[in-house]
């Protein structure tokens, strides 16, 4: 059956559906509302406006006023219901309301309500003219993502009209019947109905939870299977003499490895010794010395005549990596080859040649390294720094280049164990949970907005007296003027401080809407000391090292997750000087106690756990993107208990029936087979 076989969908409408990526009846069935408008109850006029949010009202028109001011038309209708009088107001540019309403008409209206001296006024967002004797019967109206040619109402109608036929196209239920009984969830058919046409918000919510649960089950099972498969994989370079290489590296260092570095390097060395491809995540707080760990792995590889590729999220970071790795590896005769877009063509060509011939052992770049033109003689190790979205497709491209390389992921965002074990079951995890000794701790302060100007005076002093630098981080690119209450924008703040509290200093601006060249150039200027104070959005979060930057000022700090603030804090304290992190929140912001956790703790792991408890993770969501790619209904972080429950069930099923041959597991099996992202699971169909 195709979309066009459905009642009310012709070629033209089918095209409009295609714009919403709805190509089949199943797509339509799975196009869930993103919210519901509650039109069930009309509020009596006496209580209108006491509740907040949009409200519904029904009344009979007793006065109609229409006027036009420039292009804007304003229509006001006074309405009477049993308890009194209220006013409905339409303001618009598109001449839809003028001439529509007459005294004596019965109207249903919905909108935000303000109470004025003249009584409640509804700013109408939805309305309907009721027949003279029509009793108002409201419903919970599903609201769908829509396009102009295909409004939500039309989508709702198409679903309602064809519902039984759509159900025939429903996928099999991934939840095995026995578990369905145990959880008490409704059948799949009922769940679809309750999503598209619920009787109550609770019903819709429960149906949504059911779909999330099914999805979690699929993904948790996939993780288990992936891990099992990986343990059977072979074909990576099995390297020898790892410990000797590490000892030599350490003898060349001006300091001993920390205990944690030594342990993690040991874990990696064991992986590298085998033909099963390593797939390991190293998590370690900013400054914990991850570069050295990567260098050790690269050295082991190079001494086995195996090439490595290191990828960073930006060109500048790649360059910085190359600069840090060079001195560590050059003593061993290992050439580090940066491959950068900013290189001259001839330079780049020469670098590529050295990689292809095997003269160079290490390539460092962004994921442009994966493009066709980079050829390796014998690529056996891939190190991926802070690239959380490194997906299946990129991995496949890598495979095409280097057979089955060992992969090492580095991240400064620690993932709490409970989640990591289930979500990232395809990855092994090592933690560098110790900082090198002798760090000057960063002094952290939580300040109210009324102290902001003092904070800027402090920054000015650092710059003028010691030639040091500072970051100012804003939660938005631009201030939202209409809101008035929104976060301060980087653009406005940069302009304001350059003219005001930091006048005379060199103030720079950096945000995500700038081109990557401009971003790179700005960061380089900051890095070179040509900018004193960098006003930025969180793009600086995974930033380069600027040891001379000693102040991190974060505005609207209450809007961030603790883990993210900790990450931002890690941008300073990278040189020997005393460093400061100033967290500013509005005078009336609640929850400053939350921020104070950062005064107490500098342990990234503890902070991440705390963050998860407090607000379900924020930044972790991004980190885990690759671990949960393709999830539509649920968020394993926000719905952590549900996710962990589903993961436990997946484990039970996997232990008993890893190939999913039991009839009761057929639905789970077909869900796994249907999922594009899970093609690598090798379930026989
Ligand atoms: P990150 O984990 O943030 O990537 P880096 O690898 O950049 O950390 O290391 C931060 C700094 O700590 C570097 O200047 C590095 O030379 C230094 N460092 C790394 N390991 C040690 C150690 N064992 N003892 C002392 N300093 C170290
Ligand atoms: Mg680093």
């Amino acid at each position: 059956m195709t979309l066009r076989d459905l009642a009310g969908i012709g070629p033209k409408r089918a095209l409009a559906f295609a714009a919403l990526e709805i190509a089949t009846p199943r797509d339509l069935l799975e196009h869930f509302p993103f919210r519901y408008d509650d039109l069930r109850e009309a509020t009596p006029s006496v209580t209108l406006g006491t509740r907040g949010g949009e409200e519904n009202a029904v009344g009979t028109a007793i006065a109609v006023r229409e006027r036009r001011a420039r292009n804007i038309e304003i229509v006001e209708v006074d309405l009477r219901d049993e308890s009194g009088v209220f006013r409905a107001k339409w303001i618009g540019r598109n001449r839809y309301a003028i001439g529509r309403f007459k005294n004596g008409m019965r109207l249903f209206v919905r909108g935000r309500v303000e109470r004025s001296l003249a009584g409640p006024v509804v700013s109408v967002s939805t309305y309907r003219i009721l027949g003279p004797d029509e009793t108002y019967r409201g419903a919970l109206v599903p609201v769908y993502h829509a396009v102009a040619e295909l409004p939500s109402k039309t989508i709702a109608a198409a679903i309602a009209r064809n519902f039984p036929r759509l159900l025939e196209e429903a996928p099999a239920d991934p939840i095995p019947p026995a578990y369905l009984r145990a959880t008490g969830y409704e059948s799949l058919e009922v769940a679809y109905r309750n999503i598209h046409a619920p009787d109550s918000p609770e019903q819709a919510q429960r149906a949504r939870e059911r779909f999330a649960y099914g999805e979690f089950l699929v993904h948790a099972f996939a993780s288990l299977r992936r891990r099992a498969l990986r343990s059977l994989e072979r074909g990576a370079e099995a390297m020898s003499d790892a410990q000797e290489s590490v000892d030599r590296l350490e003898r060349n260092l001006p300091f001993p490895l920390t205990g944690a570095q030594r342990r993690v390097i040991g874990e990696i060395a064991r992986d590298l010794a085998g033909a099963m491809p390593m797939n390991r995540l190293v998590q370690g707080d900013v400054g914990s010395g991850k570069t050295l760990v990567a260098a050790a792995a690269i050295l082991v590889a190079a001494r086995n005549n195996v090439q490595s590729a290191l990828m960073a999220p930006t060109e500048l970071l790649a360059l910085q990596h190359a600069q840090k790795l060079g001195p560590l590896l050059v003593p061993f005769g290992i050439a580090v080859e940066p491959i950068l877009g900013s290189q001259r063509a001839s330079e780049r060509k020469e670098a590529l040649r050295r990689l292809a011939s095997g003269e160079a052992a290490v390539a460092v770049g962004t994921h442009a390294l994966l493009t066709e033109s980079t050829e390796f003689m014998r690529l056996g190790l891939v190190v991926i720094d802070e690239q959380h979205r490194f997906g299946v497709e990129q991995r496949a491209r890598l495979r095409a280049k280097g057979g089955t390389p060992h992969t090492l992921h580095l991240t400064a965002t620690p993932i709490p164990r409970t989640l990591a074990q289930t979500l990232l079951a395809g990855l092994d995890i090592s933690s560098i949970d110790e900082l090198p000794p002798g760090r000057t701790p960063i002094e952290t302060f939580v300040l109210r907005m009324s102290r902001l100007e003092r904070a800027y005076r402090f920054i000015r002093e650092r710059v003028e007296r010691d030639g040091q630098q500072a970051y100012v981080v804003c939660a938005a690119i631009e201030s939202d003027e209409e809101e008035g209450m929104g976060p301060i924008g980087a653009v406005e703040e940069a302009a304001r401080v350059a003219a005001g509290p930091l006048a005379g200093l060199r103030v720079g601006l950096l945000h995500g809407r700038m081109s990557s060249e401009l971003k790179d150039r700005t960061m380089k200027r900051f890095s070179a000391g040509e900018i004193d104070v960098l006003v930025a959005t969180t793009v600086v979060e995974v930033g380069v090292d600027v040891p001379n930057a000693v102040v991190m000022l974060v505005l609207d700090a209450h809007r961030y997750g603790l883990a993210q603030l900790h990450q931002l804090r890690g941008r300073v304290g990278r040189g020997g000087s005393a460093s400061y992190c100033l967290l500013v929140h509005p005078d009336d912001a609640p929850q400053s106690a939350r921020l104070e956790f950062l005064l107490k703790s500098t342990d990234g792991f503890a902070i991440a756990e705390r963050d998860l408890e407090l607000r379900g993770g924020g930044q972790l969501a991004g980190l885990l993107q690759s671990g949960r790619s393709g999830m539509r209904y649920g968020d394993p972080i926000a719905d952590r208990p549900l996710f962990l429950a589903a993961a436990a069930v997946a484990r039970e099923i996997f232990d008993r029936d890893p190939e999913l041959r039991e009839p009761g597991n057929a639905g789970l099996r077909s869900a796994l087979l249907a999922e594009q992202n899970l093609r690598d699971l090798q379930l026989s169909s």
Side-chain angles (χ1 to χ4, degrees):
M1 192 165 65
T2 70
L3 262 193
R4 286 171 57 181
D5 297 324
L6 297 174
I9 302 185
K12 209 169 138 208
R13 198 158 273 168
L15 267 180
F17 272 113
L20 287 167
E21 294 183 9
I22 297 173
T24 65
R26 184 186 287 187
D27 293 342
L28 184 57
L29 181 66
E30 293 184 337
H31 190 62
F32 288 180
F34 66 91
R35 67 176 160 88
Y36 302 87
D37 281 340
D38 192 349
L39 308 191
R40 287 174 302 174
E41 307 275 334
T43 310
S45 57
V46 276
T47 47
L48 270 177
T50 50
R51 214 184 47 184
E54 294 210 332
E55 292 179 79
N56 310 316
V58 172
T60 304
I62 52 172
V64 177
R65 281 179 304 281
E66 301 175 335
R67 69 200 142 90
R68 221 172 240 130
R70 276 181 252 131
N71 267 330
I72 299 175
E73 60 172 41
I74 299 167
V75 175
E76 289 177 335
V77 179
D78 292 339
L79 295 141
R80 185 195 301 284
D81 72 358
E82 274 153 23
S83 65
V85 176
F86 64 99
R87 180 169 295 170
K89 193 169 173 183
W90 286 255
I91 301 179
R93 294 171 183 279
N94 40 12
R95 314 178 163 229
Y96 60 88
I98 283 196
R100 289 235 164 145
F101 310 117
K102 296 189 182 53
N103 282 349
M105 256 181 188
R106 288 186 64 238
L107 293 178
F108 159 81
V109 293
R110 174 178 173 79
R112 287 191 171 279
V113 183
E114 264 179 64
R115 293 190 72 94
S116 73
L117 283 176
V121 180
V122 182
S123 296
V124 179
S125 63
T126 315
Y127 74 97
R128 194 157 67 84
I129 299 171
L130 301 171
D133 303 316
E134 184 178 345
T135 28
Y136 172 69
R137 203 177 293 117
L140 212 51
V141 175
V143 183
Y144 296 92
H145 283 294
V147 286
E149 312 80 72
L150 193 61
S152 173
K153 267 187 185 163
T154 314
I155 298 173
I159 293 173
R161 226 174 132 182
N162 294 289
F163 198 64
R165 297 186 70 187
L166 292 181
L167 275 185
E168 287 168 25
E169 302 285 314
D173 189 355
I175 308 176
Y179 289 103
L180 190 62
R181 278 192 295 279
T183 54
Y185 285 125
E186 59 279 40
S187 73
L188 201 59
E189 284 74 20
V190 174
Y192 278 117
R193 194 206 80 101
N194 291 350
I195 278 282
H196 289 293
D199 296 326
S200 66
E202 296 71 34
Q203 215 178 45
Q205 179 50 36
R206 177 139 180 97
R208 193 169 290 274
E209 183 185 305
R210 186 225 199 268
F211 285 107
Y213 183 86
E215 185 171 65
F216 290 159
L217 195 60
V218 168
H219 282 262
F221 189 92
S223 285
L224 291 167
R225 186 152 173 101
R226 205 171 264 143
R227 154 159 291 193
L229 283 174
R230 205 165 60 75
S231 70
L232 300 175
E233 241 181 279
R234 294 293 176 268
E237 302 277 358
M239 302 178 191
S240 54
D241 296 330
Q243 195 49 53
E244 199 213 320
S245 301
V246 176
D247 291 344
R248 282 182 174 224
L249 179 68
E250 189 167 7
R251 279 202 295 277
N252 253 287
L253 293 174
F255 44 72
L257 294 172
T258 63
Q261 280 171 322
R262 191 167 288 124
R263 173 169 46 75
V264 170
I265 291 172
E267 286 161 359
I268 293 168
R270 266 196 300 287
D271 289 348
L272 292 178
M276 173 184 143
M278 167 172 77
N279 194 20
R280 185 172 289 279
L281 174 74
V282 172
Q283 41 182 30
D285 226 335
V286 278
S288 62
K290 293 184 289 293
T291 312
L292 204 51
V293 169
I298 291 170
L299 178 63
V300 172
R303 286 174 38 98
N304 281 273
N305 292 316
V306 171
Q307 289 172 299
S308 303
L310 186 149
M311 280 175 277
T314 68
E315 286 246 325
L316 191 56
L317 279 169
L319 186 64
Q320 200 161 62
H321 269 298
Q323 287 164 350
K324 281 199 217 164
L325 283 174
L328 293 168
L329 296 173
V330 164
F332 302 95
I334 296 171
V336 176
E337 209 65 79
I339 306 282
L340 302 170
S342 51
Q343 269 166 329
R344 266 181 318 187
S346 58
E347 209 181 331
R348 189 179 159 92
K349 203 167 152 211
E350 178 54 22
L352 289 172
R353 190 194 63 71
R354 281 196 293 265
L355 283 171
S357 72
E359 279 163 68
V362 192
V364 181
T366 63
H367 52 249
L369 270 186
L370 298 183
T371 56
E372 309 297 319
S373 61
T374 328
E375 268 176 45
F376 292 85
M377 172 86 176
R378 192 177 170 201
L379 177 63
L381 171 66
V382 174
V383 183
I384 299 160
D385 185 36
E386 296 292 358
Q387 261 173 285
H388 308 327
R389 279 148 218 263
F390 200 81
V392 172
E393 183 199 332
Q394 283 158 313
R395 230 163 272 142
R397 280 216 230 165
L398 259 178
R399 294 256 144 103
K401 277 196 189 301
T404 318
H406 295 286
T407 15
L408 186 64
H409 301 254
L410 309 178
T411 182
T413 310
I415 311 166
R417 255 158 231 290
T418 45
L419 272 185
Q421 275 159 4
T422 354
L423 264 183
L424 304 173
L427 279 178
D428 296 310
I429 297 179
S430 296
S431 304
I432 315 185
D433 45 12
E434 177 188 354
L435 291 180
R439 288 283 154 84
T440 329
I442 300 159
E443 282 191 66
T444 304
F445 300 90
V446 176
L447 322 168
R448 294 187 174 276
M449 194 63 187
S450 45
R451 316 266 285 187
L452 180 62
E453 301 313 304
R454 288 180 55 154
Y456 279 123
R457 274 206 297 282
F458 179 73
I459 288 179
R460 176 184 273 283
E461 213 171 89
R462 303 259 68 76
V463 174
E464 288 181 341
R465 215 183 55 198
D466 301 320
Q468 292 173 320
Q469 291 161 286
Y471 296 94
V472 175
V473 172
C474 299
I477 296 177
E478 282 174 72
S479 308
D480 185 345
E481 280 171 32
E482 289 200 21
E483 282 267 328
M485 299 291 293
I488 296 167
V491 173
E492 286 82 2
E493 190 64 0
R496 185 185 79 82
V497 298
L502 302 181
L505 306 190
R506 294 164 304 173
V507 176
L509 173 67
L510 186 75
H511 61 70
R513 278 215 304 270
M514 289 164 42
S515 71
S516 42
E517 295 92 276
L518 186 53
K519 271 190 285 194
D520 244 35
R521 194 149 18 98
T522 307
M523 207 53 226
K524 273 187 187 141
R525 287 179 52 216
F526 185 62
S527 185
E530 293 162 21
I531 291 174
D532 300 312
V533 179
L534 187 63
V535 181
T537 55
T538 52
V539 293
V540 293
E541 183 185 324
V542 225
V544 292
D545 256 350
V546 181
N548 191 45
V550 296
V551 184
M552 167 60 69
L553 171 67
V554 184
L555 295 174
D556 292 307
H558 61 297
R559 292 180 180 264
Y560 297 85
L562 295 182
Q564 196 173 13
L565 290 171
H566 179 63
Q567 186 84 3
L568 286 168
R569 175 164 67 179
R571 291 295 100 215
V572 296
R574 303 181 81 90
S577 333
S579 297
Y580 308 88
C581 176
L582 312 177
L583 305 172
V584 180
H585 64 97
D587 287 356
D588 54 358
Q591 281 199 334
S592 68
R594 192 176 68 93
L595 295 179
E596 278 163 17
F597 191 79
L598 289 169
L599 308 185
K600 283 185 274 178
S601 181
T602 54
D603 174 354
F605 288 90
I607 290 168
E609 282 285 359
R610 179 84 184 158
D611 212 16
L612 204 62
E613 272 163 36
L614 288 173
R615 44 170 256 164
Q619 169 175 54
L620 278 176
L623 173 62
L624 298 174
Q625 205 68 52
S626 56
R628 58 165 189 175
S629 56
M631 288 204 207
R632 303 178 55 170
Y633 306 126
D635 178 337
I637 293 165
D639 303 331
R640 192 156 55 133
L642 190 69
F643 177 76
L644 293 174
V649 166
R651 174 99 246 169
E652 271 180 43
I653 299 174
F654 184 80
D655 286 345
R656 214 182 44 231
D657 183 19
E659 297 296 322
L660 297 178
R661 295 220 170 84
E662 291 173 15
N665 295 334
L668 179 55
R669 177 192 187 80
S670 62
L672 282 157
L673 286 170
E675 187 74 61
Q676 283 293 348
N677 289 316
L678 307 178
R679 280 292 150 80
D680 53 331
L681 294 180
Q682 302 177 23
L683 272 175
S684 53
S685 35

